Amino acid sequence: MKKNSRKVHLAKVLVLAAFTIVSCSKDEVSIEEEVVAEAVITAVELKYSDESEMISEEISSIAEDVYAADEISSTSKFNYSSDYLPDCVTITTVVTDATKEKTIDFGDGCELPNGNVLSGTINLSYAKDMELAQKTLAISLENFTFNGVAVEGGADVLRLRSNQNGNPQAVANASFNAIWPDGETASFEGTRTREWIEGYGSGFWGDNVFLITGKRTFTNRAGNSFTKEIITPLRRELSCRFIVSGVLEITRNDATASLDFGDGSCDAKGILTSPDGSSEEIFLRRFLKN
């Protein structure tokens, strides 16, 4: 009986010890999760966030390029064409009494000059009268993918033929949802202003330059939301797949980090400054292929 009692007592001790170890492990995991949750944005989240920006920028660039080609051809004495979209893109136009409806079809996969591969269609609609100083462009997507990322959503764009600087300008209220091939999801919405400061009407896509301002919200799979506000205008040169300059502030849970895109060089580098003031150089892949 004494031997059996000792065995029972030993078993109880082992069970208690195991429970204690498991409890400590859970506590440690919880602490680690809280620490991660308090970070403004991780390197992985920053990658998906930056790629979502690229998706939105490319959709806007394509829609504005197609519209600009129609605007220039309609208001000038010569036939204008842009070389931004390759021959694998089919553009179909349906004209109604009041509108022009354009379907920009990338088929099952079409590579743009900058290396991005798109499939599906972008639908673009706007007023038929091309003499208007400003008008609204409606953008929607259908079975659309961007470098393998499935994208849904659309945008309403207020297009000014000439802003106070004499440049074309587009103010887009956009909302998109995306699913990456690895299952990662994100949504991004908000307002961005794109001023076309160089290359308008040249017919050569490589000299097109935009200054981008505005504020958006990025939400990841876990439901964590980040406010992204442009403090210094972002400079986008279509000849480069990266933002070349400008400063973006990223805020979450009352903590703010800043991302400085550099001095104008076309590279994947940026300087990320944390809320505590420490800075580090990071690399923004933007779908960079191995």
Side-chain angles (χ1 to χ4, degrees):
M1 291 294 292
K2 288 184 178 179
K3 290 182 178 180
N4 290 338
S5 297
R6 288 177 179 174
K7 289 181 178 179
V8 171
H9 178 70
L10 179 60
K12 289 181 178 179
V13 171
L14 292 174
V15 170
L16 180 60
F19 177 78
T20 302
I21 292 171
V22 171
S23 298
C24 290
S25 297
K26 288 183 177 179
D27 289 342
E28 289 173 1
V29 171
S30 297
I31 292 172
E32 288 175 0
E33 288 176 348
E34 288 175 2
V35 171
V36 171
E38 289 173 358
V40 177
I41 191 166
T42 66
V44 173
E45 288 169 332
L46 187 60
K47 171 184 177 293
Y48 286 117
S49 172
D50 189 60
E51 288 183 350
S52 73
E53 294 287 349
M54 186 179 192
I55 293 170
S56 181
E57 288 164 15
E58 192 73 272
I59 292 170
S60 297
S61 294
I62 291 168
E64 192 166 3
D65 183 80
V66 170
Y67 173 79
D70 191 11
E71 179 181 71
I72 295 170
S73 294
S74 300
T75 58
S76 65
K77 296 181 180 181
F78 64 94
N79 290 325
Y80 170 85
S81 62
S82 169
D83 63 354
Y84 186 53
L85 295 179
D87 293 338
C88 53
V89 179
T90 301
I91 300 177
T92 304
T93 304
V94 175
V95 181
T96 70
D97 290 338
T99 66
K100 287 188 177 182
E101 312 287 338
K102 288 185 178 287
T103 300
I104 309 166
D105 191 346
F106 300 90
D108 295 330
C110 180
E111 184 173 348
L112 301 186
N114 56 19
N116 293 318
V117 178
L118 284 60
S119 70
T121 59
I122 297 175
N123 299 312
L124 178 63
S125 175
Y126 48 88
K128 177 181 176 181
D129 185 357
M130 301 305 294
E131 298 291 339
L132 296 175
Q134 70 176 46
K135 62 176 61 177
T136 299
L137 283 60
I139 301 171
S140 62
L141 308 177
E142 186 176 346
N143 299 320
F144 185 78
T145 69
F146 186 98
N147 290 339
V149 178
V151 186
E152 296 179 344
D156 290 322
V157 182
L158 178 61
R159 176 59 159 64
L160 304 180
R161 182 182 297 179
S162 180
N163 66 4
Q164 61 185 2
N165 299 321
N167 298 320
Q169 176 177 291
V171 182
N173 290 307
S175 178
F176 296 104
N177 297 303
I179 303 176
W180 276 257
D182 62 2
E184 189 68 31
T185 64
S187 64
F188 36 107
E189 58 183 9
T191 302
R192 283 287 172 87
T193 299
R194 301 171 79 252
E195 181 182 6
W196 196 336
I197 63 171
E198 294 180 23
Y200 177 76
S202 72
F204 172 54
W205 69 274
D207 63 5
N208 290 340
V209 180
F210 300 86
L211 285 183
I212 305 170
T213 57
K215 187 175 183 179
R216 277 192 181 159
T217 299
F218 171 81
T219 304
N220 64 14
R221 174 190 283 185
N224 298 321
S225 293
F226 309 86
T227 300
K228 304 172 67 177
E229 184 172 7
I230 298 171
I231 304 304
T232 302
L234 306 183
R235 183 180 174 92
R236 173 76 197 284
E237 301 175 355
L238 289 195
S239 59
C240 178
R241 67 187 298 112
F242 304 101
I243 298 294
V244 300
S245 65
V247 179
L248 179 70
E249 279 192 349
I250 306 167
T251 301
R252 180 184 170 215
N253 296 336
D254 298 323
T256 299
S258 67
L259 179 60
D260 189 330
F261 288 90
D263 59 2
S265 301
C266 180
D267 56 40
K269 299 177 182 179
I271 301 297
L272 181 65
T273 301
S274 301
D276 63 5
S278 61
S279 298
E280 62 176 325
E281 186 177 77
I282 61 170
F283 290 87
L284 300 169
R285 291 180 58 83
R286 285 209 159 194
F287 299 103
L288 188 62
K289 298 176 176 61
N290 296 325

